[in-house]
Amino acid sequence: MAVFVALGAFLMTLAGGWTAQRVTDRRHLVLGLAGGLMLGVVGLDLLPEALEAAGTEVFGVPAALLLFVAGFLLAHLVERLLAVRQAAHGAEEHNGRAPEVGLTAAAAMVGHSAMDGVAIGAAFQVGGGMGVAVALAVIAHDFADGFNTYTITSLYGNARRRAQFMLFADAAAPVAGAASTSFVTIPEQLLGGYLGFFGGALLYLAAAEILPEAHHEHPARSTVLCTIAGAAFIWLVVGLAS
């Protein structure tokens, strides 16, 4: 049942990626929306879940917040190291960006989507009603996941085929995650730490890369409105799922 329900997340993720591909003539609006969606996912979905699941504190600070900061710093470090390496080898970059960063970020999105599938499977182990509630929440925000996965991959100069491959992997991940719960259970604290770490990396990409790029060539009010709309959409999804 969990795998069958996860197929809805598969279709919704593909729909998000398809939408991102079809609005290339409004790229600044796409990036503005993607930044807002990512900000909403991190601040309103991932971080609260991470704080609740991780639980423990390290020297007076919740472990999830420490991992959140570590994820942010690691994303910055990885991007700088890859950019320096490409420059040293004389390789071309896409507007100063290393394509590997986009692939790494998309791979993290795939990992997050797999955890979504695990959450669906675990919820169905608790009960059918809980499983349906969690599945609806996952399916609703997987549109944003697909949208962001394709946008991030292509933003860093990767070919369209690579972006489509990462999109398909992101769509298939919840199904695989849901199926895996038949064999293994992930400890709640470990899951909380992962969500905090991933949230930090995602926030870095939104704040340091996607939103500045959205305003670079088209500093328009409509771009800001798209960012606000993206964050508000995630707020709506979280509110309806709670």
Side-chain angles (χ1 to χ4, degrees):
M1 182 63 181
V3 174
F4 177 76
V5 171
L7 290 175
F10 174 86
L11 296 175
M12 189 63 77
T13 303
L14 291 181
W18 181 86
T19 301
Q21 293 180 59
R22 295 295 173 179
V23 289
T24 52
D25 57 330
R26 293 289 185 269
R27 185 170 177 268
H28 59 293
L29 299 180
V30 171
L31 293 175
L33 179 62
L37 290 172
M38 292 169 71
L39 175 61
V41 166
V42 172
L44 306 178
D45 188 16
L46 292 182
L47 200 51
E49 287 187 22
L51 288 169
E52 182 178 352
T56 58
E57 291 189 355
V58 179
F59 203 62
V61 178
L65 289 182
L66 288 174
L67 287 167
F68 176 81
V69 174
F72 187 98
L73 293 175
L74 183 63
H76 174 63
L77 179 63
V78 168
E79 184 190 38
R80 290 299 88 206
L81 288 176
L82 288 174
V84 169
R85 190 192 64 148
Q86 283 213 349
H89 288 278
E92 293 185 0
E93 297 181 37
H94 179 72
N95 294 329
R97 292 180 169 84
E100 292 92 338
V101 174
L103 292 175
T104 302
M109 295 292 291
V110 173
H112 169 59
S113 293
M115 291 300 102
D116 282 346
V118 170
I120 293 174
F124 270 102
Q125 290 178 3
V126 174
M130 175 68 75
V132 170
V134 171
L136 288 176
V138 168
I139 290 170
H141 87 251
D142 270 358
F143 180 88
D145 284 353
F147 191 97
N148 289 333
T149 298
Y150 184 87
T151 301
I152 290 172
T153 309
S154 58
L155 175 65
Y156 280 85
N158 290 286
R160 182 172 180 175
R161 182 174 297 179
R162 279 188 177 181
Q164 290 174 335
F165 174 80
M166 296 308 298
L167 171 63
F168 183 81
D170 188 52
V175 180
S180 72
T181 57
S182 302
F183 311 101
V184 67
T185 301
I186 297 179
E188 187 178 15
Q189 286 192 336
L190 181 61
L191 181 59
Y194 164 78
L195 291 176
F197 184 83
F198 173 65
L202 202 60
L203 182 63
Y204 174 81
L205 292 172
E209 299 297 330
I210 290 184
L211 289 177
E213 180 68 15
H215 293 277
H216 178 62
E217 295 181 0
H218 297 276
R221 185 178 303 172
S222 56
T223 306
V224 177
L225 293 176
C226 282
T227 302
I228 295 173
F233 171 75
I234 299 299
W235 184 19
L236 176 64
V237 168
V238 171
L240 292 175
S242 62

